[in-house]
Amino acid sequence: MTSELKDLFDRNRAWAASMVREKPTFFTDLLAQQSPRYMWIGCSDSRVPANQITDLAPGEVFVHRNVANVVVPTDLNCLSTIQFAVDVLKVEHLMVVGHYGCGGVQAALRDVRVGLADNWLRHIKDVRDRHAALLGATPEQHRADVLCELNAIEQVMNVAQTTVVQDAWARGQSLTLHGWVYGLRDGLLHDMRMTVDGNEQMDAVYRAAVAGVGAVRQS
């Protein structure tokens, strides 16, 4: 084992010991059950750790991450994670969280080739193309941020249209979806006002959220 990897094991042991010192039942409590109220669908970017950003302990948020926080109906990994969170864990809130400065979003905006991930980023380009007029009316220096915001909003819509979420709402399960964006510069979460808990008014909420993005960045 290299010294660099050994350092990770040393850090792990120090962390585990500190957790036990602070709360002797920390790990036995975790072992007993997993009952998070929240699911976080975020970007794989190493600078955007869900638990730390929200100051939640292990076991309090169920997480799925991929490049540029995308939700598509062909991604069985993401859909299976959503299904477990909704049907088994009964999470009450599901947040799709983008972040400003997202490399995937920037590559999609500017048509930068990155390799195999270009196929995945096609989904972001679809968002870009759908909102071409809004992006075109946005000052160039703000377009990447606007596309991050629009992407979070669009991915909430994609989550809402999954069979898992539709079935949950049909049986009356309490489940609210949210679209947020995280700021790397200040560590703050920003609410995109894309919050839905059923099919009623969903389209109106979506239109208002998109309009809000345009109004803020073009003012």
Side-chain angles (χ1 to χ4, degrees), residues 150-168:
L150 292 171
N151 185 51
I153 291 169
E154 291 289 348
Q155 302 313 320
V156 170
M157 288 295 285
N158 288 348
V159 174
Q161 292 161 0
T162 63
T163 55
V164 174
V165 171
Q166 286 294 311
D167 289 347

Side-chain angles (χ1 to χ4, degrees), residues 86-97:
V86 173
D87 292 351
V88 179
L89 298 177
K90 307 295 184 185
V91 298
E92 299 172 22
H93 298 275
L94 189 158
M95 299 85 77
V96 178
V97 187

Side-chain angles (χ1 to χ4, degrees), residues 176-196:
T176 305
L177 312 181
H178 311 267
W180 298 348
V181 178
Y182 172 70
L184 292 174
R185 290 187 180 89
D186 56 15
L188 300 179
L189 289 166
H190 301 265
D191 185 1
M192 294 298 101
R193 300 293 189 267
M194 184 60 197
T195 299
V196 294

Side-chain angles (χ1 to χ4, degrees), residues 34-40 56 59-62 85 89-95 174-176 178:
Q34 176 180 214
S35 55
R37 294 178 57 204
Y38 312 105
M39 179 177 181
W40 172 291
L56 292 174
E60 293 187 322
V61 57
F62 197 64
L89 298 177
K90 307 295 184 185
V91 298
E92 299 172 22
H93 298 275
L94 189 158
M95 299 85 77
S174 177
L175 175 65
T176 305
H178 311 267

Side-chain angles (χ1 to χ4, degrees), residues 53-210:
I53 288 170
T54 53
D55 194 27
L56 292 174
E60 293 187 322
V61 57
F62 197 64
V63 178
H64 175 82
R65 297 169 72 177
N66 61 48
V67 175
N69 46 277
V70 171
V71 178
V72 292
T74 54
D75 182 4
L76 295 183
N77 184 350
C78 182
L79 296 184
S80 296
T81 309
I82 293 172
Q83 188 271 329
F84 188 83
V86 173
D87 292 351
V88 179
L89 298 177
K90 307 295 184 185
V91 298
E92 299 172 22
H93 298 275
L94 189 158
M95 299 85 77
V96 178
V97 187
H99 68 95
Y100 299 120
C102 179
V105 169
Q106 292 175 353
L109 177 65
R110 302 185 176 101
D111 276 321
V112 175
R113 291 292 304 275
V114 297
L116 181 63
D118 293 336
N119 299 282
W120 182 253
L121 296 179
R122 178 66 253 175
H123 301 297
I124 312 295
K125 291 181 180 180
D126 289 342
V127 176
R128 177 200 66 187
D129 296 345
R130 185 174 302 120
H131 298 284
L134 191 159
L135 288 166
T138 300
E140 186 173 359
Q141 67 269 27
H142 297 310
R143 286 176 189 165
D145 287 350
V146 165
L147 186 52
C148 286
E149 295 169 355
L150 292 171
N151 185 51
I153 291 169
E154 291 289 348
Q155 302 313 320
V156 170
M157 288 295 285
N158 288 348
V159 174
Q161 292 161 0
T162 63
T163 55
V164 174
V165 171
Q166 286 294 311
D167 289 347
W169 285 341
R171 62 178 175 261
Q173 184 172 335
S174 177
L175 175 65
T176 305
L177 312 181
H178 311 267
W180 298 348
V181 178
Y182 172 70
L184 292 174
R185 290 187 180 89
D186 56 15
L188 300 179
L189 289 166
H190 301 265
D191 185 1
M192 294 298 101
R193 300 293 189 267
M194 184 60 197
T195 299
V196 294
D197 58 6
N199 292 313
E200 187 177 353
Q201 301 299 317
M202 183 164 59
D203 289 340
V205 171
Y206 167 79
R207 290 193 297 272
V210 170

Side-chain angles (χ1 to χ4, degrees), residues 4-25:
E4 185 178 8
L5 292 181
K6 182 178 182 302
D7 181 59
L8 294 183
F9 277 86
D10 292 341
R11 287 172 176 267
N12 166 253
R13 281 154 177 72
W15 169 78
S18 69
M19 291 297 101
V20 172
R21 282 196 301 272
E22 293 177 14
K23 184 180 180 183
T25 63

